[in-house]
Amino acid sequence: METQGKVITCRAAVAWGAGEPLVMEDVKVDPPQRLEVRLRILFTSICHTDLSAWKGENESQRAYPRILGHEAAGIVESVGEGVEEMKAGDHVLPIFTGECGDCRVCKQDEANLCERFRVDPMKKVMVTDGKTRFFTSKDNKPIYHFLNTSTFSEYTVIDSACVLKVNPLFPLEKISLLSCGVSTGVGAAWNVADIQPGSTVAIFGLGAVGLAVAEGARVRGASKIIGIDVNPDKFPLGREAGISEFINPKESDKAVHERVREITEGGVECSFECAGSIEALREAFLSTNSGVGVTVLLGVHASPQLLPIHPMELFQGRSITASVFGGFKPKTQLPFLITQCLQGLLNLDLFISHQLPFHDINKAMQLLHQGKAIRCLLRL
C-alpha cells in the first residue's frame, strides 16, 4: 500500500479536557514500530469505560490531549518488524487487553491478564519505545494513547499482542461488539460464573454488558434470569436476551435482594453487577443464595469507595469476584466466541441501538450518558 512506512494524516476525535466535547481534527499517525500494527478503523462504538475517561472521573485518565476508544473493528494497513501473524488487508479486532503468549500469566489456562499488555488505564504511550504515535497536524505536538487501542481515529497504531485477526466473512460492524462489551458479558457468564443448565441468575444493570450476560446465561440454559434496572425502556431488549422477570428498584417497595430471594425462594446461584454502583453491588451480593452464591463484578467503578461487604459475610457461603474481558484470553480463546457468533448462537443485532457517522461522536456520547443507547455504532 502507498501509505506503508509513511506518516498518515487522518481525522480523529481528540479529547482535550475532562467533559469537554471531543474535537474532530486532523492528526498525524506514525508508521508502526517493531511488533506494532497500524489499523484503518472502520467501525467503533462507545462503552462506559470511554465515557468514564471522557468525564475524567479517575485522575489517572486525565492525560490530554488524548484519543479515546477501544471497541472497534478494522483492517490492517501495515505491520511493523517482527509481526508475522497478520498482514495488510486482514480484518482485525483491536483488544484493550493483550496476550503476549510468553509470560507466566499467558501460560496459565485460567488467567487472562497478560503481564506486559494487560489493560492499563494509565498507559499513554507505546510499549516499544515509550513514545506516542499520534501528533497534532498543525504543530506536531504529541497526542496520548488510551487502553492500548485509541480507536476514535481513522487510523491507529496498536501493539500486535492487542490485535486479533478475524474471519473476513464476519461483518465488521457486528464483530466490533466482541472487542469489549459482548465478550465481557458473555465471558463472565461462561468462563467466570460457569453458569450451568438450570442455574438462576440476577443481572444488575441492563446496558450492553448486562444484556450480554443474559445472552450468555440463556445459551447456557439458565432456568430463571432476573433483570434489574431503573430504566424500564431496557426491559423489552432484556426479554429478547432471555430475561424472564424484571425489577425496577424505583418501583419496588422492598429492597431488591429481598425481591430476588422471594422470586427464587432463597436467592440466585449467580449475580452480576454491571451498573458501576456500590449500592447495586451490595444488593447483588445479598441476592445470591447463602451457601452457593457467587457475585461477579463487571461495572466500572470510578468512586474511591471500598467493597460494601463485611469479611464475616463471606463465611455465609457467598463469594465475590471480578472479571476483565469476561475471562477470555483475547488471541487464543476469543476465536471460540467468534465461531459461536458466526453460527448464530448469539444475537448481536440486539446490541446495536443506534448507527451514526463518525462526526456525530459527541451525540453518541450523550446518548450513552443519558441511558438512551445500548451501543451506538459509529461508521468511520
Side-chain angles (χ1 to χ4, degrees):
M1 299 175 69
E2 294 181 359
T3 52
Q4 291 183 6
K6 301 177 182 178
V7 173
I8 290 177
T9 299
C10 68
R11 300 290 285 172
V14 182
W16 287 92
E20 296 179 11
L22 302 180
V23 179
M24 295 296 300
E25 58 184 281
D26 288 337
V27 301
K28 296 178 180 178
V29 186
D30 277 356
Q33 300 302 305
R34 176 173 173 76
L35 297 178
E36 296 175 358
V37 183
R38 186 161 64 182
L39 308 183
R40 170 71 169 98
I41 299 296
L42 298 179
F43 297 94
T44 191
S45 52
I46 300 163
C47 90
H48 282 280
T49 304
D50 300 311
L51 198 61
S52 175
W54 170 66
K55 294 178 188 176
E57 292 178 337
N58 190 311
E59 187 173 349
S60 67
Q61 298 170 335
R62 297 173 195 163
Y64 306 106
R66 199 170 199 179
I67 296 177
L68 304 176
H70 67 284
E71 188 172 85
I75 296 175
V76 174
E77 177 272 336
S78 60
V79 300
E81 178 189 351
V83 178
E84 299 178 352
E85 71 270 28
M86 64 194 83
K87 63 184 185 305
D90 284 342
H91 288 204
V92 292
L93 282 182
I95 309 292
F96 65 91
T97 188
E99 181 182 353
C100 73
D102 296 322
C103 71
R104 60 181 176 178
V105 174
C106 287
K107 290 179 179 179
Q108 293 185 25
D109 293 338
E110 303 301 323
N112 73 328
L113 291 180
C114 173
E115 289 184 319
R116 192 174 185 204
F117 296 102
R118 69 173 60 187
V119 57
D120 180 4
M122 297 183 69
K123 180 184 175 185
K124 301 182 293 184
V125 293
M126 301 301 293
V127 170
T128 306
D129 56 8
K131 298 179 180 179
T132 180
R133 302 290 178 262
F134 297 110
F135 297 89
T136 58
S137 180
K138 294 181 180 179
D139 47 17
N140 215 42
K141 291 184 177 180
I143 301 173
Y144 295 116
H145 294 251
F146 175 69
L147 286 187
N148 292 323
T149 49
S150 294
T151 62
F152 292 170
S153 174
E154 292 175 333
Y155 287 86
T156 186
V157 176
I158 304 176
D159 297 298
S160 61
C162 299
V163 182
L164 174 66
K165 180 180 175 180
V166 297
N167 190 328
L169 297 178
F170 206 138
L172 286 173
E173 62 270 26
K174 291 185 180 182
I175 201 171
S176 66
L177 299 168
L178 300 182
S179 63
C180 182
V182 173
S183 299
T184 296
V186 173
W190 292 359
N191 304 326
V192 184
D194 191 20
I195 290 174
Q196 299 296 312
S199 294
T200 53
V201 175
I203 304 168
F204 289 72
L206 300 180
V209 172
L211 291 173
V213 171
E215 275 281 284
R218 175 188 62 79
V219 170
R220 277 290 183 93
S223 62
K224 188 178 292 294
I225 307 174
I226 304 169
I228 299 98
D229 203 290
V230 297
N231 183 357
D233 291 340
K234 296 179 180 179
F235 293 172
L237 280 178
R239 195 165 285 108
E240 288 186 47
I243 298 175
S244 56
E245 303 202 38
F246 298 88
I247 299 173
N248 183 342
K250 291 183 177 180
E251 298 178 354
S252 177
D253 58 355
K254 297 181 178 180
V256 173
H257 75 269
E258 293 180 355
R259 288 284 296 115
V260 172
R261 287 184 187 178
E262 287 178 355
I263 294 170
T264 58
E265 300 181 353
V268 294
E269 279 91 15
C270 309
S271 70
F272 299 83
E273 190 282 310
C274 310
S277 162
I278 287 291
E279 292 77 16
L281 178 58
R282 175 70 180 168
E283 289 297 303
F285 179 75
L286 294 176
S287 294
T288 59
N289 185 279
S290 176
V292 297
V294 59
T295 297
V296 182
L297 169 60
L298 298 171
V300 176
H301 288 254
S303 81
Q305 290 179 279
L306 301 180
L307 285 174
I309 296 167
H310 192 281
M312 295 305 295
E313 290 182 302
L314 297 174
F315 285 99
Q316 298 174 0
R318 297 185 177 99
S319 63
I320 184 168
T321 187
S323 170
V324 173
F325 201 52
F328 282 116
K329 290 180 182 290
K331 298 187 81 102
T332 55
Q333 296 177 346
L334 191 61
F336 170 76
L337 177 61
I338 292 173
T339 300
Q340 299 295 297
C341 291
L342 271 172
Q343 294 173 354
L345 197 65
L346 299 169
N347 179 15
L348 294 181
D349 292 328
L350 175 74
F351 300 91
I352 303 174
S353 59
H354 299 75
Q355 296 192 49
L356 294 171
F358 184 40
H359 63 256
D360 280 340
I361 190 169
N362 286 301
K363 180 179 179 180
M365 281 281 194
Q366 290 301 324
L367 285 169
L368 188 66
H369 178 59
Q370 295 165 3
K372 297 179 180 179
I374 301 300
R375 277 295 185 266
C376 188
L377 193 66
L378 297 167
R379 185 185 296 269
L380 280 71

